[in-house]
Amino acid sequence: EFLNRFTSIFRGAGRLVWPALYFFLVLIAYFICQKYTQRVAACILLVGLALQIADTSAGWLPQKRLVASAQSRSWDIGLKDPFWKQAGHRYKAVRRLPAGNVTAEWSKFATYANSHNMQTDSVYLARVNYASLDKLNQENGQRIATGNYDADSLYILSDNLVRAALLSIKPERDLIATVDGYTVIAPNWKSGSVSPSITPLTLASYVNSPESGSVYEMTGPNSKGVRVLGEGWSDEIGIGGVWSLGEKSTLTFPVQHIKFNTLNLSGFPLLGPGRTAQLVHVRVNDEAERTFNLSLAQPGIQLTLTPSEKDAALKRGLLTVGMRYEDPVSPKTLGINADNRVISFALQRVSFE
């Protein structure tokens, strides 16, 4: 392991020729200075330098012109709302949630940060310490879960974190809104006198309240149904739906009124050799728990809401469905494939009747 870490420094072996070339250039210059007089040696070295500059100009001269022309032009990054200018004066840093290397449109926010002398983690790095990155994203996860953000930083959220941020945001203090197509969190924005002409984002505006006949599809990362996913779901969302992760998962729906009686969770359990059924315990808004035995014959869950469950949802303004899985296991353990995720239920669709 130590040898692997050491040799990984030289992952681009071709570049190791450069130290050898530099060594020979210095050695040649040394012998010239030793063999000839100072004046002759200086002339030889100057001629060699001129030849080197002329020979390499085919590579560096176009780059020099490109950089010079770029400095004379301004780049329109598309952040046109007055909010960005106000935020640039107000905050010291631009942070991406989650943090990462070469995140989506990293250069746009790197340019924005540079134009306002702000720090940023919207970057493109040649080397990344993934242990430090994982630690940073764990801290970011705590920020989102608690709604406590650094007061000197402006946050740019990816779509899969917006719902979680809406559940914990402190709207009397912080702003969460969509500006020029990007979801931002501006800590302490409402404590100042600056008030941009943008509408704060709410869970009700982000996720449509369910009605009788409403359907939430989970067929891809851009499906609007994924906005109701809470904790305990995979980030991989495809045609087959989204798998639960671990022992628990949740769904959250904003409700202003309830004109439906039944909630259907369409999907299928993880079954395999020696595993013909999956027990799932379901609780709606912390009311009494109900147990479902999912199998090939009954792959989904149908919940008829009780009056107490409806009342609890209306009081909170949220309908929360929590699921707890008995003995979750990975497909690899069952001998199905190499997937080592601990999963139990693939959710494809949520519908209301």
Side-chain angles (χ1 to χ4, degrees):
E1 184 178 350
F2 169 78
L3 186 60
N4 284 335
R5 288 201 305 268
F6 177 75
T7 55
S8 67
I9 300 172
F10 311 106
R11 65 186 74 183
R15 72 189 65 170
L16 294 180
V17 71
W18 289 105
L21 289 176
Y22 293 144
F23 171 77
F24 283 115
L25 284 174
V26 173
L27 192 64
I28 291 170
Y30 172 78
F31 283 127
I32 290 174
C33 292
Q34 289 294 314
K35 184 169 182 63
Y36 298 101
T37 64
Q38 185 174 1
R39 178 174 295 181
V40 173
C43 290
I44 293 174
L45 293 176
L46 285 173
V47 170
L49 177 62
L51 290 173
Q52 180 78 352
I53 292 173
D55 182 51
T56 59
S57 64
W60 57 261
L61 192 56
Q63 295 298 320
K64 179 178 180 295
R65 291 169 180 162
L66 179 64
V67 172
S69 64
Q71 289 176 341
S72 64
R73 299 195 306 264
S74 60
W75 180 27
D76 181 10
I77 58 176
L79 304 180
K80 301 182 181 300
D81 195 282
F83 167 86
W84 299 107
K85 184 175 182 180
Q86 295 165 346
H89 293 306
R90 184 161 185 167
Y91 297 104
K92 296 180 180 179
V94 180
R95 306 294 183 199
R96 302 299 296 269
L97 295 176
N101 187 33
V102 200
T103 51
E105 300 193 78
W106 70 271
S107 58
K108 175 174 291 191
F109 292 102
T111 302
Y112 168 73
N114 180 66
S115 64
H116 290 86
N117 296 317
M118 304 166 76
Q119 301 175 17
T120 187
D121 56 12
S122 186
V123 292
Y124 186 157
L125 302 176
R127 301 287 185 273
V128 177
N129 185 325
Y130 287 102
S132 297
L133 181 60
D134 289 342
K135 182 180 178 182
L136 174 59
N137 277 325
Q138 288 176 7
E139 295 171 356
N140 286 337
Q142 283 297 111
R143 289 186 176 95
I144 293 173
T146 61
N148 294 321
Y149 301 92
D150 293 343
D152 64 351
S153 297
L154 175 68
Y155 294 88
I156 314 298
L157 273 73
S158 64
D159 290 343
N160 63 321
L161 295 179
V162 174
R163 194 205 64 85
L166 284 168
L167 290 174
S168 64
I169 195 72
K170 297 177 172 59
E172 70 282 357
R173 183 189 69 190
D174 304 331
L175 172 71
I176 180 169
T178 301
V179 186
D180 289 330
Y182 302 96
T183 304
V184 302
I185 290 180
N188 292 328
W189 185 265
K190 297 185 179 180
S191 64
S193 58
V194 180
S195 182
S197 57
I198 53 179
T199 303
L201 197 60
T202 65
L203 190 62
S205 64
Y206 184 69
V207 182
N208 293 330
S209 297
E211 304 280 350
S212 180
S214 294
V215 177
Y216 298 80
E217 299 281 356
M218 313 289 172
T219 55
N222 295 321
S223 301
K224 289 188 176 181
V226 303
R227 296 181 177 184
V228 305
L229 298 178
E231 298 177 343
W233 298 100
S234 172
D235 290 331
E236 299 177 18
I237 305 171
I239 297 175
V242 54
W243 280 102
S244 63
L245 286 181
E247 296 182 352
K248 297 179 181 180
S249 58
T250 60
L251 300 167
T252 305
F253 304 86
V255 291
Q256 298 174 344
H257 51 261
I258 296 181
K259 295 182 178 180
F260 50 84
N261 296 311
T262 304
L263 173 65
N264 298 302
L265 306 180
S266 302
F268 54 92
L270 176 67
L271 304 176
R275 190 182 182 92
T276 58
Q278 169 69 60
L279 285 178
V280 182
H281 306 287
V282 181
R283 190 187 296 271
V284 178
N285 284 81
D286 298 324
E287 295 293 313
E289 190 173 77
R290 284 175 271 180
T291 300
F292 296 84
N293 192 29
L294 304 187
S295 62
L296 288 176
Q298 184 186 340
I301 297 171
Q302 186 177 66
L303 287 168
T304 299
L305 300 182
T306 65
S308 62
E309 289 171 340
K310 291 182 180 180
D311 290 341
L314 288 172
K315 287 178 181 178
R316 293 179 55 188
L318 291 174
L319 176 67
T320 302
V321 180
M323 288 171 280
R324 180 171 60 86
Y325 308 99
E326 288 278 345
D327 301 321
V329 69
S330 69
K332 184 176 181 180
T333 301
L334 293 177
I336 299 174
N337 54 40
D339 189 349
N340 59 6
R341 294 177 300 167
V342 177
I343 59 181
S344 299
F345 178 64
L347 179 65
Q348 297 175 306
R349 183 183 305 104
V350 181
S351 59
F352 292 82
E353 297 175 1

